[in-house]
Amino acid sequence: PCPGMDLAYVCEWEKKPKSNHCPSIPLVCAWSCRNLIAFTTDLRNEEEKDLTHMVHIIDTEHPWDVYSVNSGHTEVITCLEWDQSGSRLLSADADGHIKCWAMTDHLANSWENTVGSVVEGDPVVALSWLHNGVKLALHVEKSGASNFGEKFSRVKFSPSLTLFGGKPMEGWIAVTISGLVTVSLLKPNGQVLTATESLCRLRCRVALADVAFTGGGNIVVATSDGSSASPVQFYKVCVSVVNEKCKIDTEILPSLFMRCTTDPARKDKYPAITHLKFLARDMSEQVLLCASNQNNSIVECWSLRKEGLPVNNIFQQISPVVGDKQPMILKWRILSATNDLDRVSAVALPKLPISLTNTDLKVANDTKFFPGLGLALAFHDGSVHIVHRLSLQMMAVFYGSSSQRPVDEPALKRPRTAGPLVHFKAMQLSWTSLALAGVDSHGKVGAVLCMLRISPSMGHVLDMNMSLRHLLFLLEYCMVTGYDWWDILLHVQPSMVQNLVEKLHEEYMRQNAALQQVLSTRIVAMKASLCKLSSSTVARVCDYHAKLFLIAISCTLKSLLRPHFLNTPDKSPGDRLTEICSKITDVDIDKVMINLKTEEFVLEMTTLQSLQQLIQWVGDFVLYLLASLPNQGSPVRPGHSFLRDGASLGMFRELMVVIRIWGLLKPSCLPVYTATSDTQDSMSLLFRLLTKLWLCCREENHITEPDDALIDECCLLPSQLLIPNIDWLPINDGIISKLQNKQLVRLQFGKAPGLVGHTVSSQFDAFVRAPGQPKIDHLRRLHLGAYPTEECKSCTRCGCVTMLKSPNKVTAVKQWEQRWIKNCLCGGLWRKMPLSYS
């Protein structure tokens, strides 16, 4: 196959002798910005001859962990659409029912249908969420700029509908086969307002339709009755709310006839229009059309242009004003067309909002940066082409047929016999266009999900520096938007990790302080997921996760401090604590403490007691770090990077001071140390050593080596205190690290693969608990026992485990739990674990 695309993994259902999947029915799939993929299958029940319409949701990192739900749709599901945040899904069927699905308890493998709307008995042919007015443009030309705001600029774009104060209103729009357009608005109180209107006075059958949005807040609908002899019609739709009711106004726009129908050579060759898509949801002026016959297809790309209307001389003599200013009209013009192709079975459009100015296109072409510029066409012979979205010229190709495979490998596809070949019936590009998912129902096996990797340069060989720049540009885009970056990791080779992490840090340091603060945890999570991919950096994964934990604890504990008087100056007690701790560099904890207003630290006794587990982690971690200082020469040990990280050590130092003051109020909340002598003040000993270490590296530019006296004192620590075991996060059980050697991985839905021979994690098992050992709730720092009885959830990205239900009722603990109720501290999604997770 072409180097531009290769198969990363294939996931299929277990082969059952009496299969109950119904292969003839078209499938749909959708890919969210959080890298969840939803797709449909239909189950035929042997006894009742009824079909059950299933929706399946997977996250791309654990494709085998599929969540399947009986959708409750009575007819075939025709559309699936994720919202812009990637956390809600719409499904629509051939009976006019639209359902909105949301996560139950923020779990990616548990979904429920919350609200919906219906146009009874009228099949839905197109569906979209309303636009929320957020539109970015990626400027390839500016990829070298230092400011993220220049690389990824906000485009002025109005939401489809706004609430009072300009907040975008949520809702969806759908087009039905009988030519109706229906809009549902979700009010903040959970109520749904629905209105349905005919697209035009003369309603006619709509076989295909698509929806796009204009910058002015209008909606454009394109429709076709399925015959290439009929025009493709366009309508402008305006939605408003009048007297608490939803109101729809429609207006006809210019229409077009496909060029292949007017071309004498091809006049009646392609009778049916099979695909009709706007090139992007927010580009209503470009449309992609595909016309087909039994064996072939042709694809055309059209664009809506403003053109001058030539005016007859007569009018110019009557009114000279008309002559000066030529009247303008909108007209569809063909941009490009393909030659005759094999029959197209599915189309996937790019979601990356790449800027299409001439300079951007030129730079993209010169540097061979193609994500967002290609769209994918799947064919009935099993192959996939990526073609340029403007010129429709071929950029990359993937051959899916069995002829391409070695003989000994079990062929994924049946050999070319008289029967139909396997091909993608639905396809979606990832949000950075670096991966492509295809769904296919094959024969008796039900659906097969194929994950293809698409090279950013479409297979052009680039020097290492340029490849890194491409990946870096997309990582920054994900950092700014908050999208998941799993699809970028597919392309990271172990040799790139170190460079990418360093460059990412450099780019981050070039942003202004406010933006740095917004992105501070996201960049740490990004570095952690990159470091997983190389055996030389894998120990740092633990450090990055510990750092996320430290930042979260520090924010939570500082937020519990209360100003003593209400009319205090502008600084919060937390900020004042930071300021005093950095100003007073004394090594004696009590001298630092004296400078603080202790009354700001007074909390209820129950609150202090409930924080003991978090306080214990801080105490243990400080002891572990100081005890590992003497053998700091080994970067393969977790914790190594903290010894040079002034900011983190400063945070630990502040927390030690807070804990010391709280210990005076309630001694039982202090961290427990096992010491050899009873008289020793462990807290002040650790504070003294920590301060000395912090002074070595508090300024990033002047990091000095710790002196011998400090190292000697740290060498004595193990003889004075028992050094605790730190519970590092497990190195993840996901698929990404197994895809690096470019070998195809075969998976089965519902069956976790054995992670045998995974090189990166094997050398690391010394630090991570083995099965059968006591488990720990990583975020509450509670021990769950070797065989937990509580239901737990784990993070899809970092593998962190925590209990689903909170054992605590104290407000301070609730405040801590609120930090990671929706997402893990690393930003990953939660998934419910089976009870037997031991």
Side-chain angles (χ1 to χ4, degrees):
C2 163
M5 295 169 85
D6 65 301
L7 205 48
Y9 64 72
V10 176
C11 202
E12 43 198 336
W13 302 99
E14 247 178 304
K15 294 183 173 51
K16 291 191 181 126
K18 274 187 113 173
S19 172
N20 44 11
H21 283 276
C22 176
S24 60
I25 288 175
L27 298 139
V28 270
C29 75
W31 190 324
S32 87
C33 63
R34 313 199 58 181
N35 283 325
L36 294 174
I37 294 179
F39 61 99
T40 61
T41 57
D42 299 292
L43 289 171
R44 171 167 278 140
N45 200 328
E46 289 298 313
E47 295 81 57
E48 298 156 18
K49 293 281 176 285
D50 268 356
L51 285 183
T52 311
H53 304 284
M54 305 292 290
V55 172
H56 309 281
I57 297 175
I58 60 149
D59 79 277
T60 51
E61 175 70 330
H62 308 87
W64 55 87
D65 184 20
V66 60
Y67 175 75
S68 305
V69 58
N70 175 353
S71 67
H73 283 293
T74 48
E75 293 290 328
V76 173
I77 298 173
T78 54
C79 308
L80 283 178
E81 282 289 325
W82 288 102
D83 71 343
Q84 281 98 339
S85 70
S87 49
R88 283 179 309 180
L89 179 70
L90 287 177
S91 61
D93 67 13
D95 194 29
H97 286 257
I98 299 172
K99 297 185 176 205
C100 173
W101 301 84
M103 290 187 221
T104 330
D105 299 331
H106 309 290
L107 296 170
N109 54 359
S110 177
W111 294 77
E112 58 190 352
N113 167 219
T114 45
V115 289
S117 64
V118 62
V119 184
E120 203 58 63
D122 200 350
V124 174
V125 289
L127 175 67
S128 169
W129 288 90
L130 295 178
H131 203 287
N132 62 1
V134 176
K135 179 173 153 87
L136 284 181
L138 269 86
H139 300 281
V140 186
E141 181 202 358
K142 303 253 172 67
S143 65
S146 58
N147 184 344
F148 284 168
E150 285 178 42
K151 296 183 198 186
F152 317 112
S153 63
R154 270 294 287 265
V155 179
K156 209 169 145 52
F157 208 87
S158 300
S160 313
L161 197 61
T162 51
L163 290 158
F164 181 71
K167 189 174 188 273
M169 193 154 184
E170 299 189 308
W172 57 82
I173 175 171
V175 181
T176 68
I177 207 161
S178 74
L180 292 177
V181 57
T182 175
V183 174
S184 295
L185 305 175
L186 295 176
K187 290 183 65 178
N189 62 7
Q191 219 184 332
V192 181
L193 300 179
T194 300
T196 306
E197 193 59 63
S198 174
L199 270 173
C200 61
R201 283 206 202 93
L202 289 169
R203 266 168 72 187
C204 51
R205 174 186 146 85
V206 174
L208 301 167
D210 199 20
V211 179
F213 302 94
T214 68
N218 291 323
I219 303 168
V220 179
V221 172
T223 66
S224 156
D225 64 4
S227 157
S228 61
S230 313
V232 176
Q233 303 273 11
F234 294 86
Y235 304 93
K236 183 164 101 180
V237 177
C238 300
V239 183
S240 51
V241 175
V242 182
N243 304 334
E244 287 296 297
K245 284 202 169 65
C246 177
K247 181 168 176 290
I248 302 174
D249 293 299
T250 62
E251 185 185 314
I252 296 180
L253 294 173
S255 56
L256 67 88
F257 281 95
M258 282 190 71
R259 193 176 69 183
C260 60
T261 56
T262 52
D263 172 7
R266 297 195 173 99
K267 195 157 173 37
D268 301 317
K269 189 171 174 188
Y270 297 107
I273 295 184
T274 49
H275 297 90
L276 158 63
K277 296 259 185 219
F278 285 106
L279 273 179
R281 277 265 180 262
D282 41 28
M283 282 187 65
S284 54
E285 60 287 342
Q286 282 197 355
V287 67
L288 186 83
L289 298 161
C290 170
S292 310
N293 57 30
Q294 290 297 294
N295 309 314
N296 298 96
S297 292
I298 190 164
V299 176
E300 297 178 1
C301 180
W302 288 71
S303 140
L304 190 61
R305 307 253 173 99
K306 268 196 172 137
E307 293 188 0
L309 200 62
V311 178
N312 192 300
N313 284 342
I314 296 176
F315 293 109
Q316 288 187 357
Q317 286 155 13
I318 300 171
S319 155
V321 183
V322 178
D324 298 343
K325 205 171 161 205
Q326 210 179 9
M328 302 298 270
I329 55 159
L330 286 171
K331 199 160 184 186
W332 285 100
R333 289 279 180 209
I334 189 160
L335 270 185
S336 51
T338 60
N339 294 327
D340 299 335
L341 306 166
D342 215 64
R343 180 153 172 210
V344 172
S345 64
V347 176
L349 295 168
K351 302 181 183 72
L352 193 72
I354 202 105
S355 160
L356 296 173
T357 62
N358 290 342
T359 33
D360 281 312
L361 287 171
K362 186 181 181 313
V363 174
N365 204 32
D366 293 346
T367 56
K368 303 284 176 266
F369 178 82
F370 297 123
L373 290 177
L375 57 96
L377 303 173
F379 297 96
H380 276 261
D381 67 355
S383 64
V384 177
H385 291 184
I386 292 194
V387 297
H388 196 287
R389 62 191 278 180
L390 299 174
S391 66
L392 297 180
Q393 282 170 343
M394 176 99 85
M395 297 166 84
V397 61
F398 168 77
Y399 302 101
S401 65
S402 49
S403 59
Q404 297 293 323
R405 281 201 177 66
V407 187
D408 54 336
E409 219 182 306
L412 173 66
K413 318 271 158 114
R414 294 190 297 279
R416 288 179 181 255
T417 49
L421 267 162
V422 172
H423 54 262
F424 295 145
K425 298 195 176 56
M427 249 187 344
Q428 283 265 310
L429 282 161
S430 76
W431 284 65
T432 60
S433 284
L434 293 187
L436 175 76
V439 188
D440 171 22
S441 54
H442 78 167
K444 287 269 165 64
V445 201
V448 179
L449 178 81
C450 298
M451 182 63 67
L452 295 165
R453 198 183 336 232
I454 304 174
S455 120
S457 64
M458 295 291 169
H460 287 95
V461 181
L462 301 177
D463 60 28
M464 191 57 154
N465 202 6
M466 196 50 104
S467 308
L468 284 172
R469 256 185 63 186
H470 288 352
L471 295 179
L472 188 68
F473 188 48
L474 292 169
L475 281 169
E476 290 166 359
Y477 169 68
C478 287
M479 188 155 55
V480 169
T481 53
Y483 295 161
D484 186 70
W485 54 89
W486 178 89
D487 34 333
I488 305 176
L489 299 180
L490 277 177
H491 298 267
V492 175
Q493 293 303 313
S495 56
M496 302 176 172
V497 172
Q498 183 69 37
N499 271 338
L500 270 176
V501 171
E502 282 169 15
K503 288 204 162 80
L504 197 62
H505 184 75
E506 273 168 35
E507 290 296 327
Y508 168 78
M509 294 310 287
R510 291 163 77 177
Q511 307 313 309
N512 62 35
L515 185 58
Q516 281 191 27
Q517 195 173 354
V518 171
L519 304 177
S520 59
T521 51
R522 217 173 269 164
I523 185 169
V524 178
M526 211 169 240
K527 290 176 181 172
S529 58
L530 285 166
C531 286
K532 259 182 210 158
L533 300 177
S534 156
S535 50
S536 59
T537 53
V538 76
R540 296 203 335 237
V541 178
C542 291
D543 292 12
Y544 288 129
H545 288 147
K547 184 160 182 175
L548 285 170
F549 195 65
L550 167 66
I551 293 171
I553 284 189
S554 167
C555 291
T556 305
L557 296 189
K558 278 163 126 179
S559 70
L560 293 173
L561 308 180
R562 291 281 168 265
H564 186 48
F565 301 110
L566 282 178
N567 55 351
T568 47
D570 45 5
K571 282 204 169 64
S572 70
D575 293 342
R576 202 157 42 249
L577 167 77
T578 305
E579 195 183 346
I580 288 174
C581 284
S582 60
K583 205 159 61 190
I584 297 175
T585 57
D586 207 300
V587 293
D588 182 347
I589 192 164
D590 296 327
K591 285 193 180 150
V592 179
M593 210 165 81
I594 284 169
N595 292 283
L596 290 161
K597 297 183 181 158
T598 29
E599 56 269 26
E600 296 184 336
F601 292 77
V602 177
L603 295 181
E604 288 172 21
M605 295 302 157
T606 45
T607 303
L608 290 179
Q609 194 53 55
S610 68
L611 296 170
Q612 204 278 327
Q613 278 85 10
L614 299 182
I615 290 174
Q616 183 69 44
W617 179 83
V618 174
D620 281 353
F621 206 88
V622 169
L623 174 52
Y624 171 85
L625 284 183
L626 292 168
S628 65
L629 179 65
N631 56 9
Q632 58 172 330
S634 85
V636 296
R637 282 178 66 93
H640 173 78
S641 66
F642 277 96
L643 302 174
R644 291 271 177 285
D645 180 354
S648 298
L649 294 176
M651 273 188 203
F652 276 122
R653 194 167 166 268
E654 287 166 30
L655 292 176
M656 293 288 272
V657 176
V658 176
I659 292 167
R660 177 72 162 196
I661 299 176
W662 283 346
L664 298 175
L665 295 169
K666 184 164 180 68
S668 63
C669 78
L670 286 170
V672 180
Y673 293 113
T674 313
T676 43
S677 91
D678 297 342
T679 53
Q680 173 180 295
D681 181 353
S682 308
M683 286 281 293
S684 64
L685 166 69
L686 292 174
F687 185 82
R688 194 179 84 237
L689 299 177
L690 177 63
T691 302
K692 286 183 173 174
L693 181 58
W694 167 68
L695 288 171
C696 294
C697 57
R698 60 190 287 214
E699 285 174 25
E700 221 178 305
N701 316 335
H702 307 289
I703 294 184
T704 54
E705 285 304 309
D707 57 8
D708 293 349
L710 174 59
I711 290 181
D712 291 348
E713 282 195 85
C714 289
C715 282
L716 290 174
L717 276 177
S719 60
Q720 294 164 305
L721 295 165
L722 180 68
I723 309 298
N725 269 336
I726 300 290
D727 283 285
W728 303 103
L729 280 191
I731 287 294
N732 208 344
D733 56 346
I735 189 77
I736 196 86
S737 45
K738 293 169 64 188
L739 299 174
Q740 285 187 308
N741 56 6
K742 301 270 171 128
Q743 287 297 309
L744 169 63
V745 177
R746 291 179 177 284
L747 304 162
Q748 269 190 358
F749 288 118
K751 232 165 135 180
L755 287 174
V756 206
H758 172 24
T759 46
V760 174
S761 64
S762 53
Q763 43 171 306
F764 203 75
D765 289 339
F767 308 115
V768 180
R769 297 189 167 204
Q773 274 189 313
K775 298 288 184 298
I776 187 164
D777 179 323
H778 291 116
L779 296 180
R780 293 188 182 92
R781 308 315 297 182
L782 295 171
H783 293 273
L784 303 175
Y787 299 99
T789 50
E790 283 294 313
E791 275 201 296
C792 290
K793 55 185 183 182
S794 79
C795 167
T796 51
R797 196 186 277 163
C798 70
C800 165
V801 173
T802 184
M803 284 183 286
L804 264 178
K805 293 192 178 61
S806 169
N808 260 314
K809 294 282 176 288
V810 187
T811 331
V813 177
K814 285 244 165 66
Q815 203 173 326
W816 167 240
E817 290 173 356
Q818 228 29 62
R819 284 191 172 272
W820 36 265
I821 189 127
K822 283 190 177 171
N823 302 321
C824 174
L825 293 175
C826 73
L829 289 162
W830 292 116
R831 54 186 188 134
K832 196 165 157 182
M833 301 177 79
L835 248 180
S836 58
Y837 103 88
S838 51

